[in-house]
Amino acid sequence: MSTRLCTPTRVTLGKGAENSLGKELTIDGAKKVLIHYGSERIVKDGLMKRLTDQLDECDIGYVMLGGVKPNPRVSLVREGIELGRKEGIDYIIAVGGGSVIDSAKAIAYGLYDKQEDDVWDFYDGTRKPEGAYPIGVVLTLSATGSEMSDSSVITNEDGKMKRGYNSDYCRPRFALLNPELTYTVPPYHTSCGTADMMMHTIERFFHAGKSLELTDNLSIALLKTVVENGVKVLQNPMDYEARKNLMWASSLSHNGLMQEGNEQRGDWACHQMEHELSGMFDVAHGAGLTAIWGTWARYVMLENPERFSKLGAGVFGIKITGSVERDAENAIKAFEDYFREIHMPVSIRELGINLTNKEIEELADNAVFHGKRTLGAFKVLQKEDIAKIYEKASK
């Protein structure tokens, strides 16, 4: 099996990147845009006015829809689709982080939908979209890499389900990345973002097929960069170079580059298990991933312990002892120690969640879509395996 790299997004990285909004929209011929955002912080700090001033100068109309929350809700997506149809918008601008971008992508699918049925159909697998309205991004949080990725993840409040959909249709046309816009992100959310971008590369690193040496080396270099700069921004939130490194790492970690040339696109079991966890308990995605990863790693380690030791040696400089199991365990411990250093949990219990046996059963059943799929590639996980991982991660 071959991987396929698609990177159509025009990227501007550096100070003042957001000032290119009008230019980028003019290139694409936008006439009226929906500005989609989350926190009112972007209004209070003047970012919104800087953006709308550009639209006014370019004679581009706009409407706004804020209120996106972490684990973005399909109810707001539906509202955005209705607003977009009513106002006749032809372009969507996501101003925020991954949740805002994912919500914008879902709106883009819904607006393109000629049937005008429920957008959730695309996320629960009932239908497939045939296209999406164009999307542009002004990034304010380094985390998910959604600004260059083919994926979006949406939460349905009815049933507490969190589902993702991948398609090149939703890759943004452009992404404006000014690291200064991330200075005021709270420390906890900064660390969640650091963990998330790390996991996008880690998920791709662990697969059952043959790896390309160059892609392995790129993955290790990206992770080393994130590890170093994730600590720096906690010590000094206004460290421009550290923020810039994290912002670019976020994009590269999830645009497909870190899987190119490998025989498989990665494992992704931790992401799928975390989706169920945050769907049920509304936890921050990055924190949910670190709460599960160490347990997953020890559960699957013996499938290929050398893969873990290679990552540990490359990222943290862990000395290879000759005992592959010991080296693998040392690598897992090093990642857990780092997660603790940036104040991320390494167990579900540390999230403040005490799972009951009933909840574990429900989480595992939902994760396999009630018996319709398995999880993982590095080690294929059945429902029983997933339940054991949830249980062990809760201790």
Side-chain angles (χ1 to χ4, degrees):
M1 178 180 177
S2 298
T3 54
R4 173 178 174 271
L5 183 64
C6 176
T7 56
T9 308
R10 307 188 300 265
V11 177
T12 303
L13 172 63
K15 294 180 180 180
E18 70 277 15
N19 297 327
S20 298
L21 178 63
K23 174 184 175 182
E24 294 291 348
L25 289 172
T26 300
I27 290 173
D28 289 342
K31 301 300 182 184
K32 190 172 185 179
V33 304
L34 170 64
I35 302 176
H36 199 34
Y37 65 100
S39 168
E40 292 297 320
R41 175 174 63 91
I42 69 166
V43 177
K44 295 176 181 177
D45 67 12
L47 174 59
M48 182 66 81
K49 187 175 187 306
R50 297 203 303 277
L51 300 178
T52 56
D53 282 350
Q54 294 178 66
L55 301 184
D56 291 336
E57 291 173 7
C58 296
D59 197 26
I60 298 172
Y62 57 89
V63 292
M64 301 181 187
L65 179 63
V68 180
K69 298 178 180 178
N71 300 315
R73 276 49 165 186
V74 73
S75 57
L76 187 64
V77 169
R78 292 170 178 143
E79 185 179 337
I81 294 168
E82 182 179 355
L83 177 63
R85 287 175 180 156
K86 177 183 175 182
E87 295 290 339
I89 70 107
D90 60 6
Y91 214 108
I92 305 168
I93 301 301
V95 185
S99 294
V100 174
I101 305 169
D102 283 8
S103 186
K105 289 178 176 181
I107 293 172
Y109 285 137
L111 286 174
Y112 193 92
D113 183 21
K114 303 302 188 292
Q115 296 184 39
E116 297 190 6
D117 286 338
D118 189 13
V119 69
W120 184 251
D121 293 348
F122 302 138
Y123 291 85
D124 73 1
T126 305
R127 294 188 296 138
K128 292 184 178 181
E130 297 180 351
Y133 270 35
I135 304 162
V137 174
V138 178
L139 193 65
T140 65
L141 173 63
S142 305
T144 70
S146 193
E147 64 274 6
M148 287 188 76
S149 82
D150 66 348
S151 65
S152 65
V153 182
I154 299 296
T155 297
N156 191 333
E157 307 96 304
D158 183 14
K160 297 182 178 179
M161 293 179 290
K162 184 175 180 180
R163 297 288 182 265
Y165 187 76
N166 292 58
S167 166
D168 286 338
Y169 292 137
C170 78
R171 289 187 188 269
R173 299 285 183 88
F174 65 85
L176 306 179
L177 315 181
N178 180 357
E180 294 174 316
L181 299 183
T182 66
Y183 283 171
T184 57
V185 175
Y188 179 76
H189 295 298
T190 295
S191 290
C192 284
T194 297
D196 193 9
M197 66 183 80
M198 289 178 67
M199 283 300 302
H200 284 152
T201 292
I202 292 171
E203 292 275 28
R204 289 175 164 90
F205 192 84
F206 290 101
H207 59 87
K210 187 176 180 180
S211 300
L212 187 68
E213 182 181 0
L214 175 58
T215 300
D216 274 2
N217 291 338
L218 289 172
S219 299
I220 289 169
L222 186 145
L223 287 168
K224 285 182 67 176
T225 299
V226 173
V227 164
E228 293 170 4
N229 290 283
V231 173
K232 287 181 180 179
V233 296
L234 292 182
Q235 296 170 342
N236 178 11
M238 299 181 71
D239 185 329
Y240 176 79
E241 291 300 323
R243 291 283 189 182
K244 188 176 184 180
N245 273 289
L246 290 179
M247 186 166 264
W248 190 221
S250 166
S251 299
L252 294 182
S253 189
H254 204 29
N255 74 348
L257 182 62
M258 297 302 150
Q259 69 197 36
E260 186 58 26
N262 295 340
E263 289 185 344
Q264 294 180 337
R265 67 179 294 269
D267 186 81
W268 301 102
C270 288
H271 262 75
Q272 298 303 320
M273 286 188 284
E274 195 287 325
H275 285 174
E276 301 308 328
L277 191 66
S278 57
M280 182 178 290
F281 297 102
D282 198 25
V283 302
H285 181 54
L289 288 170
T290 62
I292 292 171
W293 185 78
T295 302
W296 168 86
R298 291 184 175 90
Y299 194 86
V300 306
M301 179 183 75
L302 294 182
E303 295 296 309
N304 186 352
E306 291 88 350
R307 198 77 180 139
F308 284 93
S309 60
K310 180 177 184 178
L311 195 63
V315 177
F316 295 105
I318 297 173
K319 185 177 180 180
I320 302 299
T321 67
S323 169
V324 290
E325 290 186 29
R326 183 188 305 125
D327 294 340
E329 173 60 35
N330 288 341
I332 296 168
K333 185 177 182 299
F335 276 97
E336 288 183 322
D337 288 344
Y338 178 75
F339 293 147
R340 290 189 181 98
E341 185 178 2
I342 61 171
H343 312 298
M344 286 288 97
V346 294
S347 70
I348 294 174
R349 176 175 41 79
E350 290 179 22
L351 286 169
I353 298 170
N354 295 308
L355 291 177
T356 65
N357 290 335
K358 182 180 178 181
E359 289 169 338
I360 290 172
E361 171 68 19
E362 183 178 350
L363 288 166
D365 192 46
N366 288 342
V368 296
F369 291 177
H370 315 293
K372 295 180 180 178
R373 69 171 184 175
T374 57
L375 298 186
F378 188 76
K379 177 180 174 65
V380 176
L381 302 177
Q382 307 291 334
K383 176 184 172 181
E384 295 76 16
D385 300 305
I386 297 163
K388 288 178 182 177
I389 292 172
Y390 279 130
E391 181 183 4
K392 291 177 181 293
S394 300
K395 295 180 179 178

